Amino acid sequence: MRQIPPDHAFSPPERQAVYRAIHERRDMRHFSGGTVADDLLQRLLSAAHHAPSVGFMQPWRFIRIRSRPLREGVHALVEQERVLTAQALGEREDEFMKLKVQGVLDAAELLVVALPPGREAHVFGRRTLPEMDLASAACAIQNLWLAARAEGLGMGWVSIFCPVKLGALLNLPEGSKPIAILCLGPVHAFYDQPMLQAENWARRAALADMVFEDGWGQPAAAPGPASDF
């Protein structure tokens, strides 16, 4: 007698909640101050810590910035790199300088994510792709992002900084590397679309342009219509 495989899917409302968090997550730059309760922050960090990682290396370290002078130092590093980034953009320099690219001074919480020293000891899954430590840490950040959205909090990933200068500011050990400044906290409203799309900086590409079949550039067979969630 043929056995029916078990249905491991979540219930329809649970599935909708997962897809809603994915589709409504935004890279937030505008924050409304306030606070994040300690138990809520712990839940978010636990969600991040349950991310997958290559070879189970768990290459994420979170530094909570509570000192106001230290936060201002982080902000100064971001502003320094913002100017240099604008200059590197050439003809889009003025356009870039009009964008709000961070909420370091405004967000309720500021976290820095760093890769720890000693990562070269982890060979499993990294012998030919050593950058999988960064990919694994990015999974933890995405977990935190989605959990924050589900909890009604905004989060923004700031990558405009010099890793060497930020590492020195935070006294990171040799061999470690900061990869993200995370602004986290209450917001007045979530953007109805990605902010850079709303500001006409870029547009979301069509999914069909990103999916190939059996080789690069080979169009994939068109799937059926997708539901909203």
Side-chain angles (χ1 to χ4, degrees), residues 47-54 59-60 62 132-146 157 179:
H49 188 49
H50 278 77
S53 61
V54 169
W60 42 74
F62 295 91
M132 292 307 293
D133 55 355
L134 176 60
S136 298
C139 289
I141 293 171
Q142 179 75 332
N143 271 16
L144 179 66
W145 224 333
L146 295 175
W157 180 342
I179 61 169

Side-chain angles (χ1 to χ4, degrees), residues 54-76:
V54 169
F56 205 41
M57 69 180 296
Q58 304 164 78
W60 42 74
R61 302 294 185 270
F62 295 91
I63 303 172
R64 185 184 183 189
I65 307 299
R66 307 193 74 176
S67 160
R68 184 67 185 187
L70 193 55
R71 185 186 284 233
E72 291 172 352
V74 173
H75 177 264

